[in-house]
Amino acid sequence: MKHGKKYIESAKLVDRATLYDPAEALDLAVKTSSAKFDETVEVHVRLGVDSRHADQQVRGAVVLPNGTGKKVRVAVFAKGDAADAAAAAGAEIVGAEDLVAKIQGEGFLDFDVAIAAPNMMGLVGRLGKVLGPRGLMPSPKAGTVTPDVAKAVEEAKAGKIEYRLDKTNIIHCPIGKVSFGSEKLQENYKTLLDAINKAKPAAAKGQYIRSCVVATTMGPGVRINPAKAVVTD
């Protein structure tokens, strides 16, 4: 892969052979940002589990203390009082059969998070092939299937993110923007890694966190020492 001059200059700040402490790695990630836009900072964590086995799945959701820096558009599948509560909480899109029909018929997907009241899942289940591959399918594990849709909307707006293993046993998550600065990014990083650590399956054997890398949208990866990846107070 060929990289531009800015990337090459930024990469010179990072020693690829070094495993950094989290604080130092995030500080470096901020320093290596060279794009004209406010880059997202992402964490990539490879776990010592096998996602093919049901008892080794790692999935959940957590509210980052400083949010993600992204304006989140929320769609809610609900009726009656629940629909009214969702709209009052700030959901941009609220509907039931009409929303399902719009997604099925028009391919409407102009939202970042989908939330559903439990009594709507019979309808929403029809959208599995559309929403699932895009990571938009409401799920009880992620807290996006809930009777308290208003609270779920507020949490999504406040910076709630979902973490889950991909097929290569890696979790990819945004933890904020470069403009947050190192300190706020460290707080978000710690919250995410603590949640991943607490979600360790009982069936997991050996080293749980195998590797951890932080990087900005356009910047080089900065490797974190897996033995120090989870920050303890």
Side-chain angles (χ1 to χ4, degrees):
M1 183 183 293
K2 291 184 178 180
H3 294 292
K5 290 180 181 179
K6 288 184 178 179
Y7 179 97
I8 292 169
E9 287 301 310
S10 295
K12 290 178 181 177
L13 298 172
V14 180
D15 183 351
R16 296 190 61 145
T18 298
L19 295 175
Y20 295 93
D21 286 350
E24 192 176 4
L26 288 163
D27 193 44
L28 266 176
V30 170
K31 288 177 180 176
T32 58
S33 172
S34 59
K36 292 182 179 179
F37 62 91
D38 192 7
E39 295 181 61
T40 297
V41 179
E42 295 185 344
V43 177
H44 309 275
V45 186
R46 185 166 65 91
L47 300 180
V49 297
D50 189 340
S51 61
R52 294 174 298 177
H53 299 290
D55 62 352
Q56 294 187 48
Q57 288 293 325
V58 179
R59 180 179 183 180
V62 64
V63 178
L64 299 179
N66 300 300
T68 63
K70 179 182 178 182
K71 186 179 183 299
V72 179
R73 298 163 299 171
V74 181
V76 178
F77 297 91
K79 290 181 177 180
D81 291 344
D84 294 340
E92 283 81 359
I93 305 142
V94 182
E97 288 88 353
D98 56 333
L99 180 53
V100 172
K102 191 173 182 180
I103 293 170
Q104 282 183 321
E106 302 173 24
F108 176 76
L109 290 168
D110 193 18
F111 50 89
D112 305 298
V113 177
I115 294 164
N119 63 354
M120 296 300 299
M121 286 309 293
L123 272 174
V124 180
R126 302 173 191 171
L127 302 174
K129 290 183 179 180
V130 179
L131 300 182
R134 294 168 176 80
L136 293 171
M137 190 67 184
S139 158
K141 286 186 177 180
T144 47
V145 176
T146 171
D148 194 346
V149 292
K151 182 181 178 183
V153 171
E154 290 167 359
E155 288 181 340
K157 294 284 186 181
K160 186 175 185 177
I161 59 168
E162 183 180 358
Y163 58 88
R164 60 187 300 178
L165 286 175
D166 66 9
K167 291 180 180 178
T168 61
N169 304 316
I170 299 175
I171 289 172
H172 310 272
C173 279
I175 57 166
K177 299 286 187 178
V178 167
S179 60
F180 283 19
S182 181
E183 190 172 323
K184 286 186 176 180
L185 288 170
Q186 286 178 48
E187 291 173 356
N188 281 357
Y189 168 89
K190 182 181 185 304
T191 299
L192 172 62
L193 265 290
D194 282 349
I196 292 172
N197 196 47
K198 288 175 183 175
K200 179 180 179 180
K205 305 297 181 186
Q207 185 178 351
Y208 180 51
I209 296 178
R210 296 287 177 86
S211 67
C212 184
V213 175
V214 293
T216 60
T217 307
M218 306 296 289
V222 184
R223 299 167 68 205
I224 290 175
N225 185 342
K228 299 180 180 179
V230 180
V231 182
T232 54
D233 294 322

